[in-house]
Amino acid sequence: MLLYDNAISGNCYKVRLLFSLLGIEYERREVSVIDRSNRAELLGDLNPGLRVPTLVLDDGRPLAESDAILVYFAEGTEYLPTDRYERAQALQWMFFEQYSHEPNIAVLRFWAHAEIKPDPREALAKFNGGLAALEAMERHLTGRDFFVGDRATVADIALYAYTHVADEGGFEIARFEAIGAWLERVRTLPGYVSI
Ligand SMILES: N[C@@H](CCC(=O)N[C@@H](CS)C(=O)NCC(=O)O)C(=O)O
């Protein structure tokens, strides 16, 4: 199995984290997220969005989108609930991650890493969006150990990826007590690997 990967990308890290938790072996190929010049040749037949992570299964079939890759590999494991409602709740939080969390928190972090100076109004909108996402997580996690049920699922992996490095995008994550305790719970899962 081959993972087109990037070392600082949280979306790619989600896949590496699940693989490590499940003891799944794979090869990785580093792809720059800044130099896009060879993207079409590299990923053209594999990922409609030409982005990473992109996974190629042993039989050659490709799979794109970090959260779809998580669901595929979590099938049949403790990380994907079998109960219909809990499974839908896990997806609910993954869609939240892709619409309300990642587009704000990951983008601010990326701009900081790439030393991109955004329009201040655009940066403020991203910051406010990210803050709203963190506040929603904090409310949900207050009195709970994990996002769905009483154990870690793909929803926790998806949300952990960019939350644990949100300070790199300017968010004061220490302000969020329930999120802090949850980050620690994920960090101590057997097989955990850092970004
Ligand atoms: N929704 C996609 C987002 C993938 C994504 O944005 N990947 C970034 C790295 S985190 C990337 O490939 N950036 C380079 C580019 O957009 O060309 C996912 O969850 O996999």
Side-chain angles (χ1 to χ4, degrees), residues 120-150:
R121 276 167 308 181
E122 208 185 335
L124 183 63
K126 295 270 176 214
F127 184 76
N128 287 336
L131 212 50
L134 293 171
E135 282 163 359
M137 290 169 66
E138 179 74 8
R139 282 194 301 275
H140 184 74
L141 286 169
T142 300
R144 283 189 179 85
D145 284 351
F146 293 104
F147 274 89
V148 180
D150 56 6

Side-chain angles (χ1 to χ4, degrees), residues 9 11 14 33 36 39 50-53 65-66 98 102 162:
S9 154
N11 285 315
K14 293 173 194 172
V33 289
R36 297 176 164 137
R39 202 56 72 70
L50 302 180
R51 291 177 169 208
V52 288
E65 295 294 329
S66 57
Q98 286 283 289
E102 192 259 19
Y162 283 109

Side-chain angles (χ1 to χ4, degrees), residues 101-116:
H101 184 285
E102 192 259 19
N104 296 308
I105 296 175
V107 170
L108 283 174
R109 174 176 177 261
F110 175 72
W111 286 340
H113 273 275
E115 296 178 4
I116 291 168

Side-chain angles (χ1 to χ4, degrees), residues 28-41:
R28 62 178 295 278
R29 186 172 304 171
E30 181 74 13
V31 176
S32 168
V33 289
I34 307 227
D35 174 12
R36 297 176 164 137
S37 56
N38 67 345
R39 202 56 72 70
E41 297 117 71

Side-chain angles (χ1 to χ4, degrees), residues 71-90:
V71 168
Y72 180 84
F73 285 96
E75 182 79 43
T77 78
E78 67 191 273
Y79 290 98
L80 193 67
T82 48
D83 174 78
R84 183 180 178 185
Y85 182 66
E86 285 195 346
R87 200 179 172 104
Q89 283 182 309

